[in-house]
Amino acid sequence: MTAQLLFRPTTSNRKTGDIPTASIHHDHIARSCRGCPMSPEAGGDCYARTGTVSFSTERTARAAERNPRAYSVDHALTGRRIGARYVRFTSIGDVGGLDREQVEPALERCQEEGLPPIVYTSQWKRKHNQWLRDWSMASTYRVSDYLRATRAGWRASMVVPAEVIADHVEHGTPLTELEGVNVIACPAQVAELTGDKVQCNDCGLCSVKANPDAPGVLFAEHGPRVRKTWKRRVKAAQERIRAAMRG
């Protein structure tokens, strides 16, 4: 049986920090992304499904077929950096679209090793995925879905326009006007705006196992379509903050 999850002990991802990271086998990515509004099938422009990222996942899949052990969860945990505190599930694809008998043992193995998983799924509405509530954030893209997920017992995240996060950091505007909704902006994105550095490995807020009662998390839109907008806001915010400190 082909491994649906492939693991690497290290990563160069600047946002997460150098932590063990799972990706989904190239042949299972499209299946895993069913129901995600960012998928090409839904008219989205997910960066993970096109271009150089797609080529990279195909090369990784072929390498894993030649040497399965090098892409196993045990190999990743053994070879991790000393400072790694979490395991990311996943850099590419959605575990909610995979077979539970492949996903759950990997999650449990990481937890047993003392590295709580950081997991997100857009497929939190599916009846057969309710077991993931104990492991995963529900990824949402609309307020109505965020509220539905939290009422169903999920910790949830929501993607919002970059301006929502930037205006909150720069001007103190509220993240949401909904009463009783307890959310915070992603600490890594806030730090990027202020010129500080926080990585997922420092924070771990999105690990449901590590922080089951923590508030929901808002993320600024990301991907090629909005990357320039975010970078422009980051640069402007940092310049204003430096000017205020000098003055």
Side-chain angles (χ1 to χ4, degrees):
M1 181 171 58
T2 302
Q4 296 173 359
L5 283 170
L6 307 177
F7 292 84
R8 300 304 292 153
T10 61
T11 177
S12 59
N13 188 298
R14 287 178 293 181
K15 182 176 183 292
T16 64
D18 199 351
I19 60 177
T21 300
S23 63
I24 291 176
H25 191 291
H26 180 82
D27 297 347
H28 294 275
I29 290 176
R31 166 197 167 192
S32 82
C33 294
R34 280 196 300 248
C36 177
M38 299 301 292
S39 68
E41 292 81 4
D45 63 347
C46 177
Y47 65 93
R49 295 281 302 282
T50 59
T52 56
V53 174
S54 180
F55 300 145
S56 175
T57 60
E58 187 166 12
R59 287 196 302 270
T60 300
R62 304 293 87 87
E65 288 164 8
R66 292 191 297 270
N67 186 4
R69 185 184 176 282
Y71 292 84
S72 68
V73 63
D74 285 332
H75 179 77
L77 293 173
T78 300
R80 71 184 187 270
R81 302 294 188 203
I82 292 175
R85 300 171 57 201
Y86 301 93
V87 178
R88 181 188 183 194
F89 283 72
T90 58
S91 60
I92 303 294
D94 188 328
V95 296
L98 302 183
D99 297 333
R100 179 175 179 175
E101 55 264 32
Q102 291 216 20
V103 177
E104 191 170 29
L107 293 170
E108 290 174 343
R109 179 72 184 86
C110 295
Q111 187 70 19
E112 289 167 2
E113 192 69 15
L115 277 74
I118 296 174
V119 196
Y120 309 90
T121 181
S122 293
Q123 300 191 37
W124 52 271
K125 296 177 186 177
R126 296 180 182 272
K127 186 176 180 179
H128 66 267
N129 279 339
Q130 297 312 300
W131 70 273
L132 277 168
R133 278 183 298 186
D134 293 333
W135 295 97
S136 177
M137 298 279 283
S139 294
T140 68
Y141 301 85
R142 297 180 299 183
V143 171
S144 59
D145 279 341
Y146 178 91
L147 294 174
R148 179 178 172 183
T150 56
R151 287 167 184 157
W154 293 80
R155 275 195 66 209
S157 65
M158 183 167 65
V159 174
V160 296
E163 287 74 14
V164 173
I165 306 294
D167 287 346
H168 173 71
V169 173
E170 292 184 69
H171 309 300
T173 54
L175 289 170
T176 175
E177 295 179 359
L178 294 171
E179 259 185 69
V181 176
N182 185 18
V183 294
I184 67 171
C186 167
Q189 291 184 335
V190 170
E192 192 175 358
L193 285 161
T194 59
D196 298 320
K197 183 179 179 182
V198 174
Q199 296 177 314
C200 299
N201 193 43
D202 305 314
C203 173
L205 180 66
C206 292
S207 173
V208 172
K209 279 297 183 186
N211 302 287
D213 300 317
V217 182
L218 299 189
F219 293 103
E221 290 179 290
H222 49 282
R225 183 174 58 83
V226 294
R227 186 176 294 137
K228 288 183 179 179
T229 301
W230 177 250
K231 286 184 175 180
R232 188 164 57 247
R233 289 303 301 263
V234 167
K235 183 178 180 182
Q238 291 179 356
E239 287 175 351
R240 277 193 283 272
I241 289 168
R242 282 196 291 268
M245 291 176 67
R246 288 195 298 268

